[in-house]
Amino acid sequence: MGKQRQTALILGEGPTEFFYFKSLCDVFKRLTIKPDYPKHTNLKELEAKIEEGVALGYSHIFCIIDMDTKDKELERSQYQKLKAKYAKPVDKPKKGIYCKVEFFETHRCTELFFLYYFRYTSRPYDEQEPLLKDLNQCVEYRKTIEFFIKCKGLHGYFERNGGNLEKAVTNANRSMDEKLKSDRDYTYSELGRLMKILKNL
């Protein structure tokens, strides 16, 4: 294709991100947000999806990364390599391609950003279960495709149940400020920054 368009492709590592960003299409109306995710959640698949997006002429590709799987070696160094590969925008003027690929990390996983819709925490989570438990104290949540479909859009579902996207953004940004100040490498989300970028696109 190679025809440049101001569109954002959002790549999550699984169905959670896919369903969540699909539910945000109403919020960012001017944008063509095409959420997608690899069928197998490994970095090779993610890289293939990025390359596909670049070839299709997307101007922005945003990768939503769960850091709980990047705690261990091999996966961590593969991830660093992938980030380094796309540190500079992909620029192929002859093919009419200019694409900025960015990575947005959440530790442990995207569900932390969902919790931030309701309240702030900097509590360390060694695994997903306690995080999901905390989220369920605020709103009923199941990490299943059936649930994602049943609630008819995660974003709207959270807001109908007392959550708030602005609050989530504020809490996510606070987690990043604290992370930088204290050098902590857990319980943070860069999705607040992504929302700001989507707003300004």
Side-chain angles (χ1 to χ4, degrees), residues 89-104:
V90 181
D91 192 4
K92 298 177 180 170
K94 279 199 172 88
K95 290 184 173 170
I97 285 173
Y98 186 87
C99 179
K100 221 174 153 188
V101 180
E102 289 185 75
F103 296 84
F104 296 85

Side-chain angles (χ1 to χ4, degrees), residues 13-103:
E13 291 183 277
T16 306
E17 294 77 18
F18 172 81
F19 280 98
Y20 175 64
F21 282 96
K22 210 170 152 57
S23 76
L24 283 176
C25 287
D26 295 348
V27 181
F28 302 107
K29 280 191 175 73
R30 296 176 305 110
L31 271 182
T32 308
I33 299 181
K34 181 181 184 288
D36 202 349
Y37 67 99
K39 292 294 170 262
H40 308 285
T41 54
N42 62 37
L43 290 167
K44 253 191 172 42
E45 285 268 338
L46 184 63
E47 188 171 356
K49 283 280 186 195
I50 294 172
E51 283 167 8
E52 192 182 294
V54 170
L56 284 170
Y58 282 96
S59 55
H60 299 83
I61 297 177
F62 302 121
C63 303
I64 314 303
I65 304 293
D66 287 349
M67 292 306 284
D68 58 357
T69 54
K70 315 293 176 287
D71 282 348
K72 294 176 181 63
E73 217 13 274
L74 195 59
E75 184 93 4
R76 182 187 296 158
S77 44
Q78 285 175 341
Y79 174 57
Q80 294 305 341
K81 221 157 89 185
L82 186 62
K83 270 173 84 173
K85 179 177 175 179
Y86 292 105
K88 288 195 180 85
V90 181
D91 192 4
K92 298 177 180 170
K94 279 199 172 88
K95 290 184 173 170
I97 285 173
Y98 186 87
C99 179
K100 221 174 153 188
V101 180
E102 289 185 75
F103 296 84

Side-chain angles (χ1 to χ4, degrees), residues 164-178:
N164 181 287
L165 180 59
E166 291 299 312
K167 184 191 255 186
V169 168
T170 303
N171 285 334
N173 292 341
R174 177 178 162 191
S175 77
M176 290 310 297
D177 289 344
E178 286 179 11

